[in-house]
Amino acid sequence: DSLSMCGIAGRVGASDTSRTTLEAMVATLHHRGPDDRGYYRAPGIELGMARLAIVDVAHGQQPTHDNSGEITAIFNGEIYNFAELREDLMKKGYRFDSNGDCEVIANLFHRYGKDFVSHLRGMFAIAIWDARERNLYLIRDRVGKKPLLYSVTNNGIIFASEARALIEAGVSKGVDFAALNEVLVFGYVNSPRTIYSKISALPPATILTFNGDRISTEKYWSLDLNQKNNWTHERSLHEIEVALRGSVKARTHYERTSGIFLSGGVDSSLVAKYLTEESSQKLNSYSVRFDEAAFDGGDECASGACPVK
């Protein structure tokens, strides 16, 4: 997982567990978010999260609410364009108590409904409770950088960032042998399957809606593999540079010190170049090498030119 690693958990439905179950679930996610914990409870709904404070360290606690108080949001990840979205919402009359991205999510959903996700640029696993219609929405980013797992129970639905939190709440650890076969054939499990028969993974670019009676899912984005560009070689290089520089710049608004892991390849070197040019902060860089030269995987390492351990 990446730098913006928090943990979220929750449930919808009549509770047959103790009040401390949600706290126990969030406690299993402490390694994802050691800085803070937050909870929201109302009849039939519980939301909790463990926070790693990166954006608006002082005031970015979760859960957050929209201005009406009817939309409640928690999320794991980072919205890179939240500042622009926040400014646009303020022009439309929305008020904000923080400078963080989660409060933007709540108000953005109030404004646009499920289409709010088309406005987001970032990596995210989001849970939204809409008290107006008593609907729970689970949303995962376009390529599935952030994990989001769920299980259907006799009383409703339960979800979390990791399987250990669901198991802590009593979900069965029974193995899905079809998923085990996928591991042996492909080396991984295809969502919505997980290795557990009672736990499903929300696929990337998917919105799950639970209205108390049933679950529905819908894809909100897909990659168009048929699109062709007749660019020249020079134009292609330019577009790649613009995209890379823009991606790095979008990630440089942290209140924490930035760092980069240097693998010795072209990719990390380019990121380091753009990061030093786009950020005024001191850049901390790190490299790793193995005692076994073959594990380093490069001619430089084979010749003994790898960075020092």
Side-chain angles (χ1 to χ4, degrees), residues 238-282:
H238 172 74
E239 294 294 337
I240 290 173
E241 180 178 5
V242 169
L244 280 173
R245 186 180 293 276
S247 294
V248 171
K249 185 175 182 179
R251 292 159 172 80
T252 58
H253 53 255
Y254 303 130
E255 296 174 39
R256 304 294 195 184
T257 302
S258 297
I260 185 169
F261 173 67
L262 297 174
S263 66
V266 174
D267 295 354
S268 62
S269 299
L270 280 173
V271 171
K273 166 184 165 60
Y274 296 137
L275 190 55
T276 56
E277 293 175 353
E278 297 294 339
S279 175
S280 59
Q281 295 183 9
K282 178 183 176 182

Side-chain angles (χ1 to χ4, degrees), residues 90-164:
M90 290 178 68
K91 291 178 180 177
K92 292 179 170 60
Y94 287 86
R95 306 177 311 279
F96 291 86
D97 296 322
S98 72
N99 293 313
D101 39 7
C102 192
E103 192 178 10
V104 170
I105 289 173
N107 281 308
L108 200 67
F109 183 89
H110 180 270
R111 179 73 181 186
Y112 297 107
K114 287 190 293 184
D115 189 53
F116 88 104
V117 72
S118 66
H119 297 260
L120 301 181
R121 180 184 180 188
M123 52 181 179
F124 47 82
I126 300 171
I128 291 177
W129 172 249
D130 186 345
R132 299 169 300 184
E133 300 178 354
R134 298 193 61 78
N135 284 346
L136 174 73
Y137 299 94
L138 302 179
I139 307 103
R140 196 172 176 200
D141 63 65
R142 290 166 178 78
V143 295
K145 289 187 68 176
K146 293 300 174 184
L148 191 51
L149 308 176
Y150 67 94
S151 180
V152 179
T153 68
N154 292 333
N155 298 313
I157 188 172
I158 188 169
F159 67 89
S161 295
E162 295 185 9
R164 72 182 75 193

